[in-house]
Amino acid sequence: MSSELSAASPSALTPAQIAALQQQAAAVAHHAYAPYSNFRVGAALLLTDGTIVTGCNVENASYRLTTCAEQTAITSAVALRGPGIRIRAIAVANLNDTASQPCGACRQTIHEFSTPDTVIYFPAAGGSIAQATIAELLPAAFVL
């Protein structure tokens, strides 16, 4: 996982853009439905067309039916803009002050709508924000 983006990277965001995306992810986490785990997560997607779409986790008593914040945001983006969306960057936040990367299912879903240099910002240890490209998080993605 990279800790810095190259200035030449087409996905590079300014610190202000990263902070704004993180703030939107944290804000939408307050809308999460998490009565079982109390682990409320929000995600904010920056699409390549500049649109920002958010989503939060929605739990279910049948845990397998729970939907992660990243997948909720992606589903909303597809509903809003169609199946041709491409994600430039994603910020993930939780209200538990816990380090948490996207799960495997979310990584695969992100991959479906990304380019190899799509950047994901997520909570790391000590309250910091880590970042990695989707290619770094999922080097052996399933591709048809």
Side-chain angles (χ1 to χ4, degrees), residues 30-80:
H30 288 278
H31 296 282
Y33 178 72
Y36 309 106
S37 71
N38 293 313
F39 194 72
R40 298 184 304 168
V41 180
L45 310 179
L46 173 61
L47 302 180
T48 55
D49 71 1
T51 302
I52 295 175
V53 182
T54 61
C56 59
N57 60 317
V58 179
E59 292 183 348
N60 190 281
S62 174
Y63 289 129
R64 186 179 178 287
L65 299 178
T66 293
T67 305
C68 295
E70 299 91 328
Q71 292 178 336
T72 301
I74 291 169
T75 301
S76 294
V78 170
L80 182 65

